[in-house]
Amino acid sequence: MSQRLRRAVLVACSATAVLGLAACGPDNANPSATAAAPAASAGTASSAGTAPATAPAPGPAAGTAALPNGNKLNAMLLPASALPQKLKLDPSGTKSTGNGFNPPLSPSAVPAPKACDMLNGTGWISAAGINAASFAQNDYTDESQDMFAQELDAYRGNDAQTVMANLQKALTACHTFTVAQNGQNYTATVALQSLPGVGDEALQAVITSPDWTGGSTLVAARVGSVVVTTYDNDQSNTGTAGVALTKTLVKNAASVH
């Protein structure tokens, strides 16, 4: 019998821009993190005299009057006391937009192969291709590479509904996809289902492979204009314990949204 691989954790940066922070790059600790999520950019101003005058772009706060900023979203995240004691906060995975907001950007469709890669990491909401107005996230890990990552993203207008629809499309399209890890390719399978009664709408996806031990459970739930996403990677099972944690996180978001 061939040796079964331990499921490696892929820590991907959020696709949303982090105000005041440098853009995230590829995860150097894991060779399988082949496509880091692009950081949103406010664009580059044209030099005087090289382009016709245009109306100024909307400021970062445009359309955010009713949205929570990164600090408020951060306060909704589950505290360490709510997670299994073996998991410890990873400071490198703690990010938010703080008191500010990201500027509005046009949606950017994510090619299917890249979307599948994004599903195998903590910033998997990047597969939706929609820039959030604000966000907060953190990761909890242990020495065995088990992980629970949580993220809250607030969106302008109807973008939150579009994010949920795009995530479902990506998860459906990536029912079977290839993961490159340690110089080899492995076939992963996504089992997708809805989660009735969780927020305004919710879905759950379990990613497994016959060559991995354990697996990962991804949950996305919308609460009004806020989308809750979690990534639970477990070496001994498929991370379904993360579903209960996500339901508590959704209640936190609903209580203040």
Side-chain angles (χ1 to χ4, degrees):
M1 294 180 63
S2 61
Q3 182 179 4
R4 290 169 64 86
L5 297 177
R6 290 186 61 79
R7 176 72 171 85
V9 176
L10 304 182
V11 182
C13 299
S14 170
T16 51
V18 184
L19 294 182
L21 296 179
C24 296
D27 179 12
N28 295 326
N30 194 309
S32 57
T34 57
S41 172
T44 302
S46 299
S47 300
T50 60
T54 58
T64 63
L67 297 180
N69 61 28
N71 287 342
K72 291 182 179 179
L73 292 172
N74 187 69
M76 303 177 199
L77 294 175
L78 297 178
S81 59
L83 276 69
Q85 291 185 352
K86 66 177 184 176
L87 297 177
K88 306 300 180 184
L89 181 66
D90 178 5
S92 66
T94 301
K95 302 178 178 69
S96 82
T97 45
N99 284 323
F101 290 92
N102 289 322
L105 296 174
S106 299
S108 178
V110 180
K114 188 173 183 179
C116 295
D117 287 341
M118 290 176 173
L119 297 178
N120 208 31
T122 62
W124 66 279
I125 196 171
S126 308
I130 307 290
N131 187 60
S134 58
F135 82 97
Q137 68 179 69
N138 60 31
D139 306 335
Y140 287 81
T141 62
D142 66 10
E143 294 180 354
S144 299
Q145 296 186 334
D146 295 323
M147 164 182 278
F148 179 78
Q150 55 182 339
E151 180 170 346
L152 297 174
D153 293 79
Y155 293 91
R156 295 174 173 86
N158 295 321
D159 282 354
Q161 290 93 320
T162 303
V163 166
M164 292 297 297
N166 288 358
L167 289 179
Q168 182 163 356
K169 289 178 182 178
L171 288 163
T172 300
C174 299
H175 172 67
T176 300
F177 66 101
T178 300
V179 177
Q181 185 170 299
N182 299 328
Q184 298 187 50
N185 293 332
Y186 303 97
T187 299
T189 300
V190 177
L192 176 64
Q193 67 180 68
S194 61
L195 286 178
V198 180
D200 296 315
E201 56 179 319
L203 55 84
Q204 169 189 332
V206 178
I207 301 178
T208 57
S209 171
D211 298 304
W212 293 341
T213 58
S216 302
T217 293
L218 289 62
V219 181
R222 182 177 65 84
V223 181
S225 57
V226 174
V227 176
V228 176
T229 51
T230 59
Y231 176 89
D232 189 359
N233 182 81
D234 197 301
Q235 299 292 314
S236 57
N237 58 53
T238 55
T240 51
V243 177
L245 292 172
T246 307
K247 290 180 179 179
T248 302
L249 184 56
V250 167
K251 290 180 180 177
N252 288 354
S255 66
V256 294
H257 185 63

